Amino acid sequence: MILVIAILTSIGLACAILIFIMNKVLPAESEALKETEKIAGCLPGINCGACGFPGCFAYAQALARDKDLIVTNPCMTVLQDKKMLGDLEKMLDIKIDPSSMNKKAVVCCTGDPETIGNYSGIETCKSANKLTGRFKRCPYGCLGFGDCAKVCPQDAIQIYAASGRNIAVVDPEKCTGCGLCVKECPNNLIKLVPADTKIVFLCSYDSIKNIPGREKCFRGCLHCRKCYKACEHDAIIWNKEKGIPEFDSSRCTL
Amino acid sequence: MSNLLSIFIVMAVINNLVLSKFLGLCPFFGVSKKLSNAISMGAAVTLVMLISSLSTSVIYNYILIPFNIEFMNIIIYILVIASLVQIVELTIRRTNIALYNALGIYLPLITTNCAVLGITLINAREGYSIIESMVSALGAGIGFTLVLIIMSGIREKLEVSDCPKSMRGLPIAFITAALLALAFLGFSGMM
């Protein structure tokens, strides 16, 4: 009995002394690692992996390289804890506004142009986009197979039911702005916009040589610039390169 | 020599830690989403298994057996493995940043992982000598890495496959693991 206690204590003591000696003998860790250590101290430290990194320390390392990561790939646990958020702001010397991260997805296509051919392959937007080119008249529009709806964890995207047309529509009430659908769309039609935005350009051609117009789509942008001329507050900025209107929501008075 | 080889093969495929002993299932499901992570994790586990098998078999053969206190092995093993992993992490961190980025972040996650503890206890139960323990740990580590790599490869493919919504993610991973274990059952006739 006493022998067991003695052996266990001595092994524990030996390990402790070994760690102590190693700590003294080894060279000091690099400055960058110390900095990362400090950032990791502001994180929850529960290694849940929800951010996609293997553990909080790996997230801290990525954060030390790129501060914007807290906006583009935020740690949800930190965002919900005021104290942790404050510490992290101080550490990274940036201001984080959780409400600005409150975003919604919108599908930038409202028209359902007539079909010019039959597609009978695998029923996903990705394969349809890759294999056939386009079977709808507008080359930019929503294909309506609902790749985005399949990944939505909130069931916020519906294809036909909400609009009566064969295009995806996001329900702003259900959308949490997670951005999963943005990556899915092969035409890059889905955008994340601030939740309080009043005005969004819902057509998404990217070349002025190929404007949707009336002949391709009943709801397509005509490129008439009427919106640009009508706005009295300069909230609409004309992107000359792409030939599309862009919005400055801080000037919008709607 | 043939004895060592047979220990290696038995630990790597026949008595595979994950698929026939069901040890180390948490990293098996947790870190098998991406191939690159799986390789790093497998390497870290193999390293820790080798180190802990060496130290625990020394302690078992030269301290526990002479004093006749083999029943204390679990508690002493946990103590020794935890401190050794600490020392290894400290060393990698202070001396080699590149290696630390590749392996070090996984080390705290496997400090007293059941696979690591399991292999040392299996060594003790089988009465392996120090060399035999090292070979069995190497085999177990490589078997673990192998299964992790197979699993992550399958899961990367499963991500893009057309799978019923209710089965996506972990449920289909469990079924995959079961089928994989069934396939590894075929090795049991080898020896």
Side-chain angles (χ1 to χ4, degrees):
Chain A
M1 165 78 177
I2 292 172
L3 182 75
V4 172
I5 296 175
I7 288 178
L8 194 57
T9 316
S10 53
I11 290 178
L13 212 61
C15 291
I17 292 171
L18 204 60
I19 292 179
F20 178 77
I21 293 172
M22 291 301 264
N23 202 11
K24 288 282 173 207
V25 168
L26 289 168
E29 57 190 41
S30 66
E31 283 301 311
L33 212 56
K34 267 186 197 158
E35 191 68 18
T36 315
E37 189 84 327
K38 276 185 201 156
I39 296 174
C42 304
L43 293 173
I46 49 176
N47 295 326
C48 72
C51 53
F53 289 91
C56 287
F57 195 79
Y59 185 63
Q61 279 182 318
L63 212 54
R65 277 195 297 274
D66 180 15
K67 282 180 189 173
D68 292 335
L69 205 68
I70 192 69
V71 181
T72 53
N73 186 1
C75 171
M76 286 305 172
T77 317
V78 167
L79 287 190
Q80 279 158 19
D81 190 310
K82 286 235 167 65
K83 192 185 159 291
M84 256 193 264
L85 190 64
D87 286 349
L88 196 65
E89 276 177 342
K90 224 180 281 167
M91 185 60 60
L92 293 175
D93 197 23
I94 49 169
K95 196 85 198 99
I96 304 162
D97 181 8
S99 67
S100 74
M101 288 179 207
N102 195 1
K103 288 191 169 169
K104 303 276 176 218
V106 286
V107 182
C108 294
C109 177
T110 54
D112 183 14
E114 60 178 297
T115 50
I116 51 174
N118 278 333
Y119 172 74
S120 57
I122 304 167
E123 299 211 332
T124 64
C125 305
K126 277 192 199 114
S127 55
N129 195 43
K130 275 215 174 99
L131 286 176
T132 64
R134 306 333 291 307
F135 60 92
K136 281 185 174 181
R137 185 142 278 187
C138 172
Y140 308 109
C142 173
L143 291 166
F145 286 120
D147 284 17
C148 47
K150 278 174 208 148
V151 296
C152 182
Q154 305 289 328
D155 277 334
I157 305 181
Q158 286 187 316
I159 299 298
Y160 193 81
S163 57
R165 293 192 296 279
N166 210 10
I167 52 169
V169 177
V170 181
D171 182 348
E173 295 290 311
K174 287 183 184 166
C175 180
T176 56
C178 67
L180 284 176
C181 50
V182 176
K183 293 174 209 149
E184 287 301 311
C185 185
N187 283 332
N188 301 321
L189 288 176
I190 306 181
K191 280 181 197 146
L192 282 182
V193 296
D196 53 354
T197 297
K198 300 276 189 322
I199 184 162
V200 184
F201 182 54
L202 290 181
C203 189
S204 68
Y205 58 98
D206 56 9
S207 154
I208 36 176
K209 285 178 191 148
N210 206 352
I211 300 155
R214 281 285 179 267
E215 65 184 70
K216 291 199 182 81
C217 171
F218 178 64
R219 287 182 174 76
C221 172
L222 293 175
H223 197 64
C224 64
R225 293 211 206 189
K226 261 191 184 160
C227 55
Y228 172 63
K229 287 170 198 156
C231 182
E232 294 169 359
H233 304 280
D234 290 337
I236 300 181
I237 305 152
W238 197 258
N239 183 330
K240 281 191 184 132
E241 246 170 66
K242 288 183 183 167
I244 56 168
E246 281 170 1
F247 302 100
D248 183 350
S249 55
S250 60
R251 289 193 192 155
C252 183
T253 54
L254 275 175
Chain B
M1 193 60 212
S2 69
N3 180 32
L4 292 184
L5 190 68
S6 79
I7 289 176
F8 180 85
I9 291 178
V10 165
M11 291 318 288
V13 288
I14 299 169
N15 282 345
N16 188 290
L17 275 188
V18 181
L19 292 180
S20 55
K21 300 250 184 249
F22 304 113
L23 292 170
L25 291 179
C26 3
F28 180 55
F29 287 109
V31 202
S32 65
K33 264 190 169 172
K34 267 166 67 184
L35 191 58
S36 54
N37 285 353
I39 293 172
S40 300
M41 184 67 176
V45 169
T46 311
L47 180 71
V48 171
M49 274 182 180
L50 277 175
I51 293 168
S52 55
S53 280
L54 175 64
S55 55
T56 53
S57 67
V58 167
I59 286 174
Y60 187 76
N61 285 325
Y62 295 105
I63 297 178
L64 298 191
I65 289 181
F67 287 103
N68 211 7
I69 48 166
E70 291 98 328
F71 61 90
M72 286 293 287
N73 60 1
I74 293 183
I75 193 160
I76 289 181
Y77 285 4
I78 292 177
L79 185 70
V80 171
I81 295 171
S83 7
L84 273 176
V85 172
Q86 283 278 314
I87 292 173
V88 172
E89 197 205 347
L90 207 67
T91 316
I92 295 180
R93 185 184 187 130
R94 298 280 179 85
T95 51
N96 192 335
I97 292 289
L99 190 63
Y100 182 72
N101 286 337
L103 293 185
I105 43 179
Y106 297 97
L107 286 178
L109 305 179
I110 49 170
T111 312
T112 44
N113 184 291
C114 49
V116 176
L117 190 61
I119 187 68
T120 57
L121 289 173
I122 289 171
N123 287 342
R125 196 185 60 194
E126 301 282 331
Y128 286 155
S129 69
I130 295 172
I131 307 251
E132 284 169 337
S133 308
M134 293 292 285
V135 171
S136 94
L138 185 68
I142 286 175
F144 183 85
T145 315
L146 178 76
V147 171
L148 219 60
I149 288 173
I150 295 176
M151 186 66 174
S152 61
I154 296 176
R155 281 184 81 177
E156 276 186 357
K157 288 251 172 12
L158 275 178
E159 286 279 300
V160 291
S161 70
D162 186 22
C163 169
K165 197 170 183 184
S166 57
M167 297 296 286
R168 248 175 241 169
L170 220 44
I172 196 76
F174 282 141
I175 292 175
T176 315
L179 292 176
L180 213 53
L182 215 55
F184 266 68
L185 195 67
F187 286 117
S188 65
M190 263 170 66
M191 292 216 177

